Amino acid sequence: MAANDSINILNSAYLAVEYIDSFLPDNPLQQPFKNAWNYMLDNYTKFQIATWGSLIVHEASYFLLCVPGFVFQFIPYMQKYKIQQDKPETWEKQWKCFKTLLFNHFFIQLPLICGTYYFTEYFNIPYEWEEMPKWYVLVAQCFGCAVIEDAWHYFLHRLLHHKRIYKYIHKVHHEFVAPFGMQAEYAHPLETLILGTGFFIGIVVFCNHVILLWAWVICRLMETIDVHSGYDVPLNPLHLVPFYAGARFHDFHHMNFIGNYASTFTWWDRIFGTDSQFIAYKEKEKQQQQQL
């Protein structure tokens, strides 16, 4: 009975969104995107699309999303939004991070990406334009992927902080006490595999078109680069996402090496009380501001 009620609620919500969508103006980018998508299908094999297309989406998205945070360090006005103002970025750290990223991307992640084609073939994931889900379905799927990944990340990340294994794996990621956007995927190869597994679970659950692979890649990178940016910028549209953790939440984790283990949302840390030190820190910070 409860399952049927849930299905009915979801169906009603879907119909309501579909009804609202029918009143929205046509997206002017839809036709160019459709033409580009069909051109890709006509000129490249599924293996090339799944493998090299996924690599291009990942690399282009990653480094483009890092640009704002990278530029902020050269803008004096933006320094008031930097969370750890006493720890500025250095060229030495950024260059070291960049070199490690290239190794992880091409020697750890690329071999995994090479399995994308076989995944889509095994589960009969379509590539055709006509099979592409509606934008609001895609948004809901990405949110579902984020919820699943966040749960995986919380428990495995917390495990990686166990004193018996921390120094062997996760310590690499904590080399930078004051994080910056490009450092989001700076990690030990084993951590890339362990925490990265959470990314794929949602894909297995929700994927009904290859576009979800790319949409979820972009969403996940947008989130992880934002929380590692080191800047708490006002009017950040990601703060509109319910229970979104944000840069200040994760920056505290890098400052103190404890608590705030979740990747995207705050509920797991709230449930298990691993955000208690962060809450106390915010309260103390608030009191200091009031005294000023």
Side-chain angles (χ1 to χ4, degrees), residues 150 242-246 249 262 264-271 275:
D150 184 68
F243 302 101
Y244 181 67
F249 186 86
T264 306
F265 305 108
T266 57
W267 50 60
W268 287 113
D269 284 286
R270 181 60 55 87
I271 290 171
D275 64 345

Side-chain angles (χ1 to χ4, degrees), residues 58-59 104-114 185 192:
H58 180 272
E59 295 304 299
N104 284 348
H105 285 183
F106 289 96
F107 291 96
I108 305 299
Q109 295 182 12
L110 179 56
L112 297 176
I113 290 174
C114 287
E185 291 188 343
T192 300

Side-chain angles (χ1 to χ4, degrees), residues 7-111:
I7 292 172
N8 290 333
I9 291 171
L10 290 173
N11 287 336
S12 299
Y14 177 82
L15 291 173
V17 174
E18 193 172 46
Y19 178 73
I20 294 171
D21 182 60
S22 66
F23 289 97
L24 297 177
D26 292 336
N27 184 352
L29 298 177
Q30 181 171 336
Q31 190 60 44
F33 181 57
K34 178 181 178 180
N35 294 338
W37 189 270
N38 286 328
Y39 177 85
M40 178 183 70
L41 294 177
D42 292 339
N43 290 275
Y44 299 96
T45 66
K46 286 185 177 181
F47 178 82
Q48 290 172 325
I49 294 170
T51 305
W52 305 116
S54 297
L55 178 66
I56 291 171
V57 168
H58 180 272
E59 295 304 299
S61 300
Y62 192 89
F63 290 107
L64 284 174
L65 289 168
C66 286
V67 168
F70 179 78
V71 173
F72 287 167
Q73 65 184 306
F74 304 111
I75 304 176
Y77 176 80
M78 296 304 298
Q79 296 314 301
K80 64 182 179 180
Y81 300 122
K82 184 169 173 58
I83 300 168
Q84 298 187 56
Q85 297 187 8
D86 59 331
K87 297 181 178 66
E89 298 90 343
T90 66
W91 286 109
E92 181 183 3
K93 290 180 178 179
Q94 290 175 99
W95 176 242
K96 181 179 181 180
C97 178
F98 180 72
K99 290 188 293 183
T100 301
L101 280 178
L102 291 183
F103 176 84
N104 284 348
H105 285 183
F106 289 96
F107 291 96
I108 305 299
Q109 295 182 12
L110 179 56

Side-chain angles (χ1 to χ4, degrees), residues 23-263:
F23 289 97
L24 297 177
D26 292 336
N27 184 352
L29 298 177
Q30 181 171 336
Q31 190 60 44
F33 181 57
K34 178 181 178 180
N35 294 338
W37 189 270
N38 286 328
Y39 177 85
M40 178 183 70
L41 294 177
D42 292 339
N43 290 275
Y44 299 96
T45 66
K46 286 185 177 181
F47 178 82
Q48 290 172 325
I49 294 170
T51 305
W52 305 116
S54 297
L55 178 66
I56 291 171
V57 168
H58 180 272
E59 295 304 299
S61 300
Y62 192 89
F63 290 107
L64 284 174
L65 289 168
C66 286
V67 168
F70 179 78
V71 173
F72 287 167
Q73 65 184 306
F74 304 111
I75 304 176
Y77 176 80
M78 296 304 298
Q79 296 314 301
K80 64 182 179 180
Y81 300 122
K82 184 169 173 58
I83 300 168
Q84 298 187 56
Q85 297 187 8
D86 59 331
K87 297 181 178 66
E89 298 90 343
T90 66
W91 286 109
E92 181 183 3
K93 290 180 178 179
Q94 290 175 99
W95 176 242
K96 181 179 181 180
C97 178
F98 180 72
K99 290 188 293 183
T100 301
L101 280 178
L102 291 183
F103 176 84
N104 284 348
H105 285 183
F106 289 96
F107 291 96
I108 305 299
Q109 295 182 12
L110 179 56
L112 297 176
I113 290 174
C114 287
T116 303
Y117 166 75
Y118 302 100
F119 166 79
T120 60
E121 287 294 293
Y122 183 82
F123 289 101
N124 295 315
I125 305 298
Y127 290 63
E128 292 72 23
W129 174 265
E130 294 72 21
E131 300 292 327
M132 191 174 294
K134 297 280 190 178
W135 67 267
Y136 45 84
V137 174
L138 201 58
V139 170
Q141 289 173 325
C142 286
F143 184 78
C145 287
V147 170
I148 292 173
E149 190 281 334
D150 184 68
W152 176 273
H153 190 100
Y154 176 84
F155 292 105
L156 273 295
H157 181 196
R158 189 172 177 180
L159 178 63
L160 289 175
H161 271 270
H162 192 282
K163 61 182 180 181
R164 292 187 177 181
I165 59 177
Y166 171 79
K167 64 180 179 181
Y168 299 109
I169 301 176
H170 192 52
K171 186 178 179 179
V172 174
H173 183 68
H174 276 281
E175 184 176 329
F176 302 110
V177 177
F180 47 90
M182 192 169 57
Q183 188 242 338
E185 291 188 343
Y186 180 89
H188 189 284
L190 278 178
E191 178 173 339
T192 300
L193 294 173
I194 293 169
L195 295 185
T197 299
F199 173 89
F200 295 101
I201 297 175
I203 293 296
V204 173
V205 173
F206 294 109
C207 195
N208 58 353
H209 194 280
V210 70
I211 192 67
L212 178 62
L213 290 166
W214 296 353
W216 172 223
V217 164
I218 294 170
C219 288
R220 177 67 179 122
L221 290 179
M222 189 183 303
E223 176 276 326
T224 190
I225 290 170
D226 176 61
V227 302
H228 284 92
S229 67
Y231 290 84
D232 187 17
V233 181
L235 303 179
N236 184 337
L238 288 176
H239 291 164
L240 297 174
V241 178
F243 302 101
Y244 181 67
R248 189 169 292 275
F249 186 86
H250 192 70
D251 209 280
F252 182 84
H253 175 78
H254 275 265
M255 277 193 287
N256 297 277
F257 305 98
I258 192 170
N260 295 8
Y261 296 110
S263 59

